[in-house]
Amino acid sequence: MADSATTEDLRRPTASFARSYGLALASVAGALLLDILFHHFNLPHPFAAFALSAIAITFWFVGTKPGIVAVLLSCLIRSFIFEGETSGLSRALYQLVFLTFAILMIWITRRKEALEVAIVGRTAELTAANEDLRGRKEQLDGLFELSPDAVILTDEDFHVLRVNKEFTRMFGYTAEESAGQWLPDLIVPEELRAEAHNYRALLTTGRRVELESIRRRKGGVSFDVSIVAKRISLGLDQVTYYLIYRDISERRKAERKLERSEANLLESQRLVHMCSWAYDASSGMVTFSPEMKRIYDIESDQGIWAADFFVERIHPDDLPAIEEIFRKARLDKTDYDASYRVVFPDGSIKHIYSVAHPVLNESGELVEFIGTSMDVTERKQAEEKIRGQEVELRQILDAAPQHLSVLRSDGSHLYINQSSLDFLGLTLEEWQKRDVRELVHPDDAERVVRERKQALSSGSSLEIEARFLRYDREYRWLFLCYKPLRDQLGRITRWVVPAIDIDDRKRSEERLHHENVALREEIVKASMFEEIVGASPALQTVLSSIVKVARTNSTVLITGETGTGKELIARAIHRHSQRSGQAFISVNCASIPTSLIASELFGHEKGAFTGAVQRRQGRFELAHSGTIFLDEVGDLPAETQITLLRVLQERQFERVGGNRILTTDVRVIAATNRDLSGAIAAGTFRSDLFYRLNVFPIEVPPLRRRKEDIPMLVEYFVQRYAEKAGKQIRRIDADTLELCTSYSWPGNIRELQNIIERSVILSSGDTFRIEKYWLATPEPVRKDILGPLPDTLQNQERGIIEAALAECKGKVAGPRGAAAKLGIPRSTLDSKISQLKIKKDKFSSD
């Protein structure tokens, strides 16, 4: 407790010494003046009463010391000023009264000062407590807002009083939107309202509630939350509920994923008859998954079992090896795998395959083995069955006279039947170690290795002929077919290679080849150009071009009117080329339907279109290393022109319906009677294809420009058809030669050939004659046109064809048809009728 001075300083920290004692003097002086004033007016003037009042005022307002000064002053004034008016006893009584009053006032003042000090102290304590509470409130408000969880305060009816910022972020409602709302309506899904009411009932009992449930965001999206709720009392019967929400969506998603994974693991273990387990090294107990019970026929629900139970069921013949494997793995602390049999009480046996991995502690000591065990009984039985089937199959294959070998997916040797081993004079082990180069003729080795490597890398079948070394050190030709075997995923697992001995056939082919070469040389010596008959300058120019271009591999484009013998020119080029020993394939592009032209030229795969029941090689494949002649190339459809352009540029093509790129080494000779320049201008023929074909152009002159050759041609054809018909024709009528020479021959050599054949058939003597009416009315000699043909040429051609159809009454084929009359093939005439859009039905007889 502080002294009075200290109390005064606490009560009036700014009061000065003068003011304190001045009040004492002033109060006593005032009492004296009142007494004098009352005496002056003859009023009762009890100085003692006035003095006591002054003393009381001094004590009360300025403290003990100034009060004592006021008592002393009052006593002095009473003693010296009013001494004559009172007796000694009165004065003593007055002094006693003043002293008693002073003591009383001192006690009262002390009590007052003590009370003031207590009040000031309590006030200070309350102020400090308020400051502390204010600080704590600010801290709590900060924690409330900065909490990583959503926090909600509600009243006892669950109406929202306050929410923090995390609640706004988590649920989407602002503090203003949430205030006063009933919490279940705000965030609880409709189907969970009953559950929320149940938990509210628990809260009213004062219990703390913790749960995981689902709540709803502002947009209606539901998510997983954990909830902690508690009832708190703020006094005065005010009850508040404090709820904390935490978003556990990611955790629940991970848990559900883990649950699904565990369920999938258990299901996969069930499907593949595999279980997982853990062997505790210290206790010798085995903890295992449910599938272990099925494998070992364990009926108990217990998931932990002593290891001795499983060891006792291992087949006695397998037990020593398994114990050694486990002992070594435990000693070395290494992985192990083992296959063994398990024997059950009923005598049945299962085959088990186990894999284990050691788990070590920080000190490197073995804690446990974790592993898996799989029931492989079905696989073992299947393997034994397959092994038996393989033995049986090998016996069958060994008994077969044909050659057969099996390669691994990488081409290494796996199996070969006994017939092949007898042929090679090797054992199976020796053959498996041999390289293919050691088995084939040195001249064939590089080709076989190259084509074999390409087939193995591409996974495509391969057919190849090569000479193989027989047991007697003789080489014989074999035909081998490499065929891949694939699994369900399309991966190659094996290569099956059947082989056929074709040595006799190859030798026959070589003999025939040599005979054909000799015969061809004799024919060439006898006639350089066979059926190309004539000596006119125009023809000699063509023959000179043939000799020059034949020795090259250049593409040739032969142009000329129909019937001028363009195919003969092409054959002559082939015979005088380095490819003369190979095939000459002729294709009339105008005679093949548009839908089939690509198949005819490039071949097709089985099933490429309706009717394609098997794979077929195209003309380009058949002409490989030889020559292909594309007659009427101007009639090719646009899509086939594109493919032909690729062949000319890249020497590659694909069969119709196939995706395998084939390469070709073929010389292309094309011919047409159309004006390709006009077709390019009309957009029916590609200019880039024209320039690829027109490397070496040869124009075959029409017969009207070779009139000096007509007598020679007539004599040649008469002799040829007379021999064929078995007739003796010794001379040719002079009028006939004159008629032939003067005729313009619009059908060129073909027309001449047809008329001579007809005349020879009808001839009855030894003199050859042609009836004049067989020849069409001579037309004016047409001038040769240099450059693109005019549009009127089609009109002239249409007129000629319509005249022939009218004369033949719409008939195209046959000896009396328009094609024979015009001296052109029926297919060519049909193509012309279609191109010119001629309606041949209008010429038919009624």
Side-chain angles (χ1 to χ4, degrees), residues 407 411 413 436 448-456 462 482:
L407 311 179
H413 292 170
V436 68
V448 170
V449 171
R450 182 182 67 254
E451 296 186 12
R452 185 174 180 269
K453 181 179 180 181
Q454 182 178 358
L456 292 175
L462 170 65
Y482 286 77

Side-chain angles (χ1 to χ4, degrees), residues 74 95 104 140 151 174 191 224 239 247 263 293 366 387 428 435 511 523 533 597 655 660 702 713 728 799 833:
S74 297
Q95 296 298 330
L104 178 62
L140 290 175
V151 182
T174 63
E191 63 273 13
D224 294 286
V239 176
D247 187 348
K293 300 177 182 179
L366 179 65
R387 195 175 296 110
L428 177 61
D435 186 85
R511 185 174 63 255
I523 293 174
V533 178
I597 185 66
R655 297 191 188 102
R660 178 185 172 192
L713 288 168
Q728 296 291 330
I833 291 173

Side-chain angles (χ1 to χ4, degrees), residues 774-819:
W774 289 353
L775 303 179
T777 302
E779 296 178 359
V781 177
R782 294 173 290 177
K783 296 182 179 179
D784 296 326
I785 301 173
L786 299 177
L789 293 176
D791 295 338
T792 56
L793 182 59
Q794 288 190 350
N795 296 330
Q796 295 174 1
E797 193 172 22
R798 182 182 293 105
I800 294 172
I801 293 174
E802 288 180 346
L805 288 171
E807 185 177 348
C808 298
K809 298 181 180 181
K811 188 176 182 181
V812 176
R816 296 184 179 276

Side-chain angles (χ1 to χ4, degrees), residues 474-493:
E474 293 289 335
Y475 285 99
R476 289 187 67 84
W477 283 95
L478 296 181
F479 172 77
L480 288 78
C481 181
Y482 286 77
K483 290 186 176 297
L485 300 181
R486 302 178 185 271
D487 59 15
Q488 294 180 347
L489 299 178
R491 297 173 299 194
I492 295 177
T493 57

Side-chain angles (χ1 to χ4, degrees), residues 568-838:
L568 293 178
I569 302 299
R571 290 183 180 276
I573 294 173
H574 173 70
R575 283 195 301 271
H576 289 79
S577 70
Q578 296 178 353
R579 300 173 181 264
S580 59
Q582 304 299 326
F584 176 88
I585 303 298
S586 177
V587 183
N588 190 321
C589 301
S591 65
I592 303 175
T594 303
S595 60
L596 298 178
I597 185 66
S599 173
E600 285 292 325
L601 290 178
F602 309 113
H604 64 256
E605 296 291 345
K606 180 180 179 180
F609 50 84
T610 303
V613 296
Q614 62 182 3
R615 188 180 73 181
R616 179 184 177 186
Q617 291 183 323
R619 303 297 179 89
F620 271 90
E621 287 186 72
L622 297 175
H624 185 70
S625 300
T627 303
I628 188 168
F629 174 58
L630 302 177
D631 197 9
E632 303 299 339
V633 72
D635 294 329
L636 283 175
E639 59 271 18
T640 310
Q641 293 181 32
I642 296 174
T643 308
L644 178 59
L645 179 62
R646 181 187 177 191
V647 174
L648 293 174
Q649 290 177 338
E650 303 174 7
R651 299 295 176 179
Q652 294 180 344
F653 65 94
E654 296 174 3
R655 297 191 188 102
V656 176
N659 54 13
R660 178 185 172 192
I661 296 177
L662 303 176
T663 58
T664 181
D665 176 22
V666 63
R667 181 180 192 173
V668 178
I669 300 177
T672 182
N673 60 3
R674 296 184 61 189
D675 174 28
L676 295 184
S677 299
I680 293 172
T684 59
F685 198 84
R686 297 178 63 91
S687 60
D688 48 0
L689 177 58
F690 170 77
Y691 294 124
R692 282 286 179 180
L693 293 172
N694 197 38
V695 176
F696 193 94
I698 295 178
E699 182 182 4
V700 182
L703 191 54
R704 63 180 177 274
R705 287 170 52 190
R706 298 172 49 198
K707 289 187 178 295
E708 55 268 54
D709 291 336
I710 292 177
M712 188 182 303
L713 288 168
V714 171
E715 183 178 355
Y716 171 80
F717 287 127
V718 168
Q719 181 181 357
R720 175 178 171 182
Y721 290 116
E723 291 178 358
K724 184 184 297 186
K727 295 185 178 183
Q728 296 291 330
I729 298 179
R730 304 184 186 280
R731 69 185 190 88
I732 300 173
D733 183 74
D735 293 336
T736 296
L737 284 177
E738 179 62 26
L739 179 63
C740 291
T741 305
S742 61
Y743 183 61
S744 62
W745 299 107
N748 292 298
I749 296 176
R750 187 178 293 116
E751 183 182 7
L752 173 63
Q753 180 179 351
N754 292 342
I755 289 179
I756 290 176
E757 182 178 8
R758 188 191 319 165
S759 299
V760 168
I761 294 172
L762 298 177
S763 177
S764 57
D766 61 348
T767 301
F768 175 80
R769 291 184 179 83
I770 296 176
E771 296 296 332
K772 184 176 182 180
Y773 67 89
W774 289 353
L775 303 179
T777 302
E779 296 178 359
V781 177
R782 294 173 290 177
K783 296 182 179 179
D784 296 326
I785 301 173
L786 299 177
L789 293 176
D791 295 338
T792 56
L793 182 59
Q794 288 190 350
N795 296 330
Q796 295 174 1
E797 193 172 22
R798 182 182 293 105
I800 294 172
I801 293 174
E802 288 180 346
L805 288 171
E807 185 177 348
C808 298
K809 298 181 180 181
K811 188 176 182 181
V812 176
R816 296 184 179 276
K821 182 174 179 59
L822 295 176
I824 59 177
R826 175 189 173 180
S827 59
T828 302
L829 181 57
D830 285 336
S831 177
K832 292 292 183 181
I833 291 173
S834 176
Q835 290 177 4
L836 298 174
K837 299 181 180 179
I838 297 173

Side-chain angles (χ1 to χ4, degrees), residues 157-209:
D157 293 326
F158 270 80
H159 290 92
V160 177
L161 298 176
R162 184 179 179 184
V163 297
N164 66 348
K165 293 179 180 179
E166 181 61 20
F167 174 85
T168 300
R169 188 201 66 77
M170 186 181 296
F171 289 94
Y173 296 101
T174 63
E176 292 76 12
E177 291 174 325
S178 306
Q181 296 292 326
W182 193 49
L183 186 61
D185 282 345
L186 199 65
I187 63 174
V188 179
E190 186 69 31
E191 63 273 13
L192 297 178
R193 296 285 174 83
E195 175 190 275
H197 283 297
N198 294 335
Y199 286 114
R200 178 185 175 188
L202 289 176
L203 286 174
T204 58
T205 64
R207 294 175 58 183
R208 173 188 174 98
V209 174

